[in-house]
Amino acid sequence: MTDFRTLDDAGPLQGKRVLLRVDLNVPMDGGRVTDATRIERVVPTIREIADAGGRVILLAHFGRPKGKPDPKDSLKPILATLSEKVGRPVAFGPDCVGEAAASAVSALKDGDVLLLENTRYHAGEEKNDPDFARALAANGDIYVNEAFSAAHRAHASTEGLARLLPAYAGRLMQAELDALTKGLESPARPVIAIVGGAKVSTKIDLLENLVAKVDMLVIGGGMANTFLHAQGKDVGKSLCEKDLAETATRILAAAKEKNCTIILPADALVAREFKANAENETVAIDAVPSDAMILDVGAASIATIDGAIDEARTLVWNGPLGAFELTPFDTGTVAVAQHAAARTRAGQLVSVAGGGDTVAALNHAGVGEAFSYVSTAGGAFLEWLEGKELPGVEALRTKS
């Protein structure tokens, strides 16, 4: 983590007002938090700062209030769960700037924790307005970003603030950046990437970046059908973006030029209906019935992917290999995930995964905890894989 400033570089925190940007955009139902994962992930950093005598001032967004206060997007209902997880009282400020915020901050003692109201109640947040950033900065002595999931947005609380105050990565951000650096920036080679999901159109930038960075690229899910179609194979009634055949061909050519081995399905589990436990059969990839859909990879494909993972020292994974929500079309994703997890547990593989469907698929396979790192960041994780600069991350980078 030499490229980024972290809490280790912040010096003594005693008595300092620490503006800590966190992601508290958690699922709610009836005013109650239904999944506290994002809260739980930031608790260690909150406690570390508070235990060091820092005055913790939490900044967060919730929902999409579009620059105007909206009761349904208030952070106040999160307070009880937040206090419970942190293990100490958390005060609440009814605004994140102005007199209400200043008053709440001035009441803090060393080790206290304060949650300020939704930053997106102000239009200046998403516009990264300098005046709004300065208003936020007025309540802090240092800034710590713990919200990698919002780091791809150049907002006032993710990027603007980091330019105004001494800025550092929190422990969760540090772990994320460390994992992603090991995954793509300076990985142990060979590197294998698994990219699945429904459509090529949503992952063109990702695929084009990966073929230049990894040694092997597994393409699965519905998007593999577009590549198979581009190679002249009949994919029957499978999901297929036939208008992107030229794009697929271009990516295959780029991979060849960069010595990146592309691994496409050799066989498939097909069905005539898109539903759980639909009548199915395994066929060679060049023998897909014209009235059938490819819904998962077959046993031969699983063996090939597992063999490639055995050769690799680093794995980056984004997207399932089949329709994993439906049995038995989860077979390929589960089998490969469990194989990667076993290699990781044995210390033979660094495995980094991320994206909403990916997290759900790995948890479904029972191996979410076994991977080296699983990112819940969604869009930010994807943009990093695409090779794009993330404003909130760049603002924390040490100057060379």
Side-chain angles (χ1 to χ4, degrees):
M1 279 296 298
T2 54
D3 289 344
F4 301 95
R5 298 183 298 275
T6 72
L7 274 175
D8 296 323
D9 306 306
L13 297 174
Q14 181 85 36
K16 286 187 177 176
R17 300 170 302 164
V18 182
L19 290 173
L20 179 61
R21 178 59 162 96
V22 291
D23 183 357
L24 301 180
N25 205 14
V26 294
M28 305 280 290
D29 185 27
R32 299 179 65 85
V33 175
T34 56
D35 183 350
T37 303
R38 284 182 167 174
I39 294 174
E40 290 163 354
R41 283 195 159 196
V42 299
V43 164
T45 298
I46 294 173
R47 285 181 180 163
E48 180 179 344
I49 296 169
D51 289 347
R55 303 177 183 194
V56 185
I57 303 153
L58 301 174
L59 298 174
H61 72 276
F62 188 83
R64 298 182 180 276
K66 301 190 183 299
K68 295 178 182 177
D70 187 330
K72 73 175 174 55
D73 292 318
S74 175
L75 285 166
K76 195 168 186 179
I78 293 171
L79 210 57
T81 303
L82 181 61
S83 298
E84 177 196 334
K85 297 296 182 184
V86 174
R88 65 185 77 198
V90 179
F92 184 74
D95 202 349
C96 60
V97 292
E99 198 166 316
S103 176
V105 170
S106 66
L108 292 175
K109 297 182 178 66
D110 293 359
D112 284 353
V113 183
L114 167 69
L115 172 63
L116 295 180
E117 184 59 282
N118 196 338
T119 56
R120 289 187 183 174
Y121 273 8
H122 297 267
E125 162 70 333
E126 294 188 71
K127 292 177 181 176
N128 200 5
D129 179 76
D131 289 337
F132 180 64
R134 280 191 287 271
L136 290 171
N139 292 312
D141 299 306
I142 69 170
Y143 169 76
V144 177
N145 194 341
E146 192 68 319
F148 179 81
S149 52
H152 58 315
R153 309 292 188 203
H155 291 173
S157 69
T158 60
E159 199 270 350
L161 255 180
R163 306 294 183 187
L164 297 172
L165 294 174
Y168 309 93
R171 297 308 184 195
L172 179 61
M173 173 77 88
Q174 181 180 349
E176 191 101 31
L177 295 177
D178 193 35
L180 294 179
T181 298
K182 287 178 181 174
L184 275 188
E185 298 303 305
S186 54
R189 292 193 174 276
V191 183
I192 184 170
I194 296 176
V195 180
K199 295 183 176 182
V200 174
S201 53
T202 60
K203 296 190 177 180
I204 292 172
D205 290 348
L206 171 59
L207 294 169
E208 289 182 333
N209 184 50
L210 287 179
V211 294
K213 289 195 170 186
V214 305
D215 303 292
M216 297 171 281
L217 175 59
V218 176
I219 301 176
M223 62 193 304
N225 303 333
T226 301
F227 283 83
L228 295 169
H229 167 73
Q231 292 180 332
K233 293 183 171 63
D234 184 357
V235 295
K237 292 190 174 178
S238 308
L239 175 66
C240 180
E241 295 174 286
K242 295 182 178 179
D243 58 323
L244 288 179
E246 192 176 319
T247 300
T249 301
R250 187 181 74 238
I251 291 169
L252 291 170
K256 188 174 183 180
E257 185 184 333
K258 300 287 185 181
N259 293 318
C260 171
T261 301
I262 299 285
I263 299 172
L264 288 165
D267 60 349
L269 196 60
V270 302
R272 271 78 178 174
E273 296 178 275
F274 187 80
K275 69 175 187 180
N277 303 310
E279 189 176 333
N280 60 82
E281 61 181 318
T282 300
V283 298
I285 207 66
D286 54 4
V288 175
S290 59
D291 63 342
M293 297 174 283
I294 298 171
L295 295 180
D296 196 12
V297 293
S301 300
I302 293 170
T304 299
I305 297 168
D306 284 353
I309 289 173
D310 289 343
E311 293 176 21
R313 293 180 63 199
T314 303
L315 165 67
V316 178
W317 191 332
N318 176 256
L321 295 173
F324 78 97
E325 308 93 335
L326 309 174
T327 53
F329 310 111
D330 58 346
T331 303
T333 300
V334 169
V336 172
Q338 290 179 345
H339 186 75
R343 297 282 294 175
T344 304
R345 288 192 193 100
Q348 297 163 323
L349 187 71
V350 172
S351 51
V352 179
D357 282 350
T358 314
V359 175
L362 296 183
N363 288 338
H364 173 70
V367 297
E369 298 299 315
F371 271 51
S372 304
Y373 194 83
V374 177
S375 171
T376 58
F381 179 82
L382 195 57
E383 288 197 18
W384 180 287
L385 290 187
E386 289 169 354
K388 295 176 180 175
E389 286 191 352
L390 309 186
V393 169
E394 293 305 308
L396 304 175
R397 197 179 289 277
T398 52
K399 304 293 185 287
S400 55

